[in-house]
Amino acid sequence: MPVTRSPKRQVQRRCLHAPLLPCTHTGCNRSFRNHSGLTQHIRAKHPISPISSKPTNLSPFSPTVASSPCRPLSRTLFGDIPEANFTDNDIRHSPLHDGFGFDALSEMPVSQGDCDYDTVRLPSPGSASITNPSTLSPHSESESDWVPFKSQVQFEMAEFLFSRNQMPATQIDILLKLWEATLAKHGDAAPFSDHRDLYATIDSISFADTPWESFNVVHNDNKPDRDIPSWMTSNYDVWFRNPRTLLHNLISNPDFDKGFDYVPFREYDQLGNHRFQDFMSGNWAWKQADLLAEDDHTHGSMFVPIILGSDKTTVSIATGNNEYWPIYMSIGNICNNIRRAHRNGVVLLGFFAIPKSEKKYASDASFRRYRRQLFHTTLAKILKPLEHNMTIPEVVRCPDGHFRRAIYGLGPYIADYPEQALLASIVQGWCPKCTAPPHEFDKPGLRRCQEHTEALVEARELGELWDEYGLVGDII
């Protein structure tokens, strides 16, 4: 018996949207689906009038301070909140100002001049001692200098063939021969004779990328008499690039000129609220600048905080599921909008070695201790070139083309929890910030710090450190 089917009912779909966010300005009827759209609208259509304040008699810069190109100010100059009278120089044009329409009060110094490579102060552009003001112009390289290329056409041709089109060598030869034939009757020649000439010219560029270096790590502790595990006899190659050279490239990059903070600062809105935007607006950078100002050797130096990050990953395409452990580096002076815009604000520093072992040794205490020690030894070796200039200033060229004395400091390390535990030398499951046991995170615990950790390592046994404080005390 045939079964009769009733026609399907057309169910009307309901479009569910998040509640609209109306613009709060009087007379504006616009509404938006998210806060991002509302913020952009306010910045573009309803800018807040800038702060206007008249100075009474504020002169925080002493003659000693004025002799330093970039002196980080102490917070005592202006106080905790912007209640004092500020001069026009004390109103910083905030990175948030573009399109938003407000000027933020900031506690930050005004640059008191620049210096050359030998830290000799340069006269001001209006000084009578300058015979040729163009000699002080930053980035004064000639626009017609295309060395090692003979002309702009030759450079652009190389860029097109090698970078944009990535043409094979045989096709490059065919193109250049045809080009040569068309110019022969005019007594001229093609930009390159063949692909070898093209590659040789590119290789002769003096401003090349930072070269890669490597060192070898081996196990040098006591080994068993027999059945020696493979990880104890293996050699591990660590590839890296000189971090000092990478820092020079980051600091001197002219692309960062409009988004580079030379000193820590604090921004406030019209209501006196502290605004955090870029790394140098944070409290940690401010405190580090105070420490530099207390030392006569580092007083007046530009603070360059180093930001590191790593993440172990598996690459499956064309590598046979090989594991790589890259480490990246940036500096806190670069504004966030530039660092996130793929403008070379983050550079690849190197690759950690990944030791392997037989399955039976995967949970062995000696192997796990070796992996931890290998990580810390590798990181210390890679960052060794920066050690000297963490206490002694170094003259570097900045994005604006001028030279300043810079002091380096290790800032935050961005990593997931397993790498955080490895960095902090804590037991898996424990908090890297406090000493609260894993099963009692709701209870208050002492905040971890270097002084407390070092005191515990000197006073307690390894087992007690592991069980009661979650510390791995055998890392050298």
Side-chain angles (χ1 to χ4, degrees), residues 35 240 293 384 406 411:
H35 290 279
F240 71 103
K384 183 69 175 178

Side-chain angles (χ1 to χ4, degrees), residues 42-77:
I42 294 176
R43 289 177 177 177
K45 301 299 182 181
H46 309 292
I48 302 175
S49 59
I51 295 176
S52 176
S53 59
K54 299 298 183 181
T56 54
N57 185 13
L58 185 64
S59 300
F61 300 103
S62 63
T64 304
V65 175
S67 64
S68 300
C70 285
R71 176 184 181 267
L73 289 185
S74 172
R75 63 181 294 173
T76 57
L77 292 179

Side-chain angles (χ1 to χ4, degrees), residues 134-283:
S134 63
T135 58
L136 295 181
S137 175
H139 307 299
S140 59
E141 294 83 356
S142 174
E143 295 183 358
S144 61
D145 185 8
W146 298 94
V147 176
F149 299 94
K150 298 178 182 179
S151 63
Q152 181 180 358
V153 173
Q154 192 182 46
F155 168 78
E156 293 184 354
M157 185 66 184
E159 182 186 23
F160 172 76
L161 295 177
F162 188 80
S163 300
R164 298 184 184 180
N165 190 269
Q166 299 182 7
M167 186 177 295
T170 55
Q171 296 184 18
I172 292 177
D173 290 341
I174 295 174
L175 176 63
L176 292 175
K177 287 180 180 180
L178 295 175
W179 197 337
E180 183 81 20
T182 59
L183 297 176
K185 59 183 178 180
H186 302 290
D188 205 349
F192 304 97
S193 58
D194 53 18
H195 73 276
R196 295 184 182 87
D197 184 23
L198 169 66
Y199 296 160
T201 306
I202 294 175
D203 292 339
S204 63
I205 298 176
S206 58
F207 299 99
D209 200 2
T210 307
W212 285 91
E213 306 175 29
S214 67
F215 60 87
N216 190 267
V217 182
V218 295
H219 183 275
N220 61 357
D221 203 353
N222 297 328
K223 298 180 177 63
D225 296 333
R226 56 182 182 178
D227 297 334
I228 301 177
S230 60
W231 59 268
M232 287 188 176
T233 58
S234 299
N235 295 336
Y236 299 99
D237 292 327
V238 177
W239 288 90
F240 71 103
R241 297 191 291 177
N242 191 311
R244 185 165 170 264
T245 305
L246 292 175
L247 283 182
H248 289 175
N249 294 341
L250 288 172
I251 298 173
S252 63
N253 192 338
D255 290 342
F256 302 154
D257 186 20
K258 301 302 181 182
F260 195 93
D261 295 318
Y262 296 96
V263 291
F265 61 91
R266 285 176 173 172
E267 285 186 332
Y268 300 91
D269 59 15
Q270 291 179 326
L271 301 178
N273 299 317
H274 190 181
R275 301 189 65 93
F276 298 96
Q277 169 68 7
D278 299 305
F279 185 87
M280 298 297 278
S281 68
N283 294 327

Side-chain angles (χ1 to χ4, degrees), residues 16 23 30 68 94 99 109 113 121 142-143 154 171 196 246 287 290 305 333 338 356 400-401 410 420 466:
L16 301 178
C23 179
R30 294 290 303 277
S68 300
S94 167
R121 293 188 56 77
S142 174
E143 295 183 358
Q154 192 182 46
Q171 296 184 18
R196 295 184 182 87
L246 292 175
K287 295 177 181 178
D290 282 345
N333 309 83
I338 294 180
K356 303 290 185 178
D400 59 1
L410 292 180
Q420 291 180 21
W466 185 285

